[in-house]
Amino acid sequence: MRYATMVLTWADGRLNAIDDRFGRSDAVSIEAIRYLNPVHEQRYVELLELRGDLEQARALLADSQEALEYDVAGADDRGVAYVQCQVVEPVDELLSILREHEIVLDWPMTYVDTEAARGLEVTALGTSRAIQHAAAALPDGIDLDLQRLGEYDPGGGQSSPTLTARQRELFELAVSEGYYEVPRETTHRELAAKLDLATGTVSEHLQRIEATLAARYTSAMR
């Protein structure tokens, strides 16, 4: 069995209307899609991993015509949303590709920051032929950036999260500038100035970098 880990990005930057609503909020964000499954009457359900203000998440879903049914569980700034939606493009096309080419996904699908836009890191499992044909069938407007490809090892951690090029650049700068020294030798503001980024963007990137590296370390310890 083969696996391919890739980052998918969309021309408009959003997977669907729910994704768009959360993407416009500074208070709460979708960190990952834990599971997505088609159900009856051209609908699908998904479990979304959330970070931030869960009350704001409930308000966004309540105000959304696309969320036909929903529920949010969690505490503090971490939670999970169950959302039932009408199947629309490009989700319908992606689900059709999975069915047609007999591809299995290794959950969760994790949101990552790329240089161009926010993307979705996906690990597909199947034969080499199936993975190649599925990648070739992606509709216009969806870009694929291959991260890793090889033989699938259930205990090998090949689907562990990776850093994007932008995140690697920031992490390497943070290390070289002494951000992780005790005491720290630089600040978010100084790092932001060197990379021509907003201070808040650097702060968010570093949080994602640290979460990714922690997940990789935890996986390696198992």
Side-chain angles (χ1 to χ4, degrees), residues 50-72:
L50 306 177
R51 185 182 71 175
D53 186 340
L54 299 185
E55 286 304 316
Q56 179 64 19
R58 293 183 178 93
L60 289 172
L61 291 169
D63 193 44
S64 170
Q65 295 181 352
E66 297 79 20
L68 305 177
E69 187 175 347
Y70 70 90
D71 198 5
V72 177

Side-chain angles (χ1 to χ4, degrees), residues 146-164:
L146 183 64
Q147 304 289 307
R148 299 178 298 280
L149 177 68
E151 290 295 323
Y152 180 71
D153 177 2
Q158 59 273 341
S159 59
S160 298
T162 58
L163 300 182
T164 66

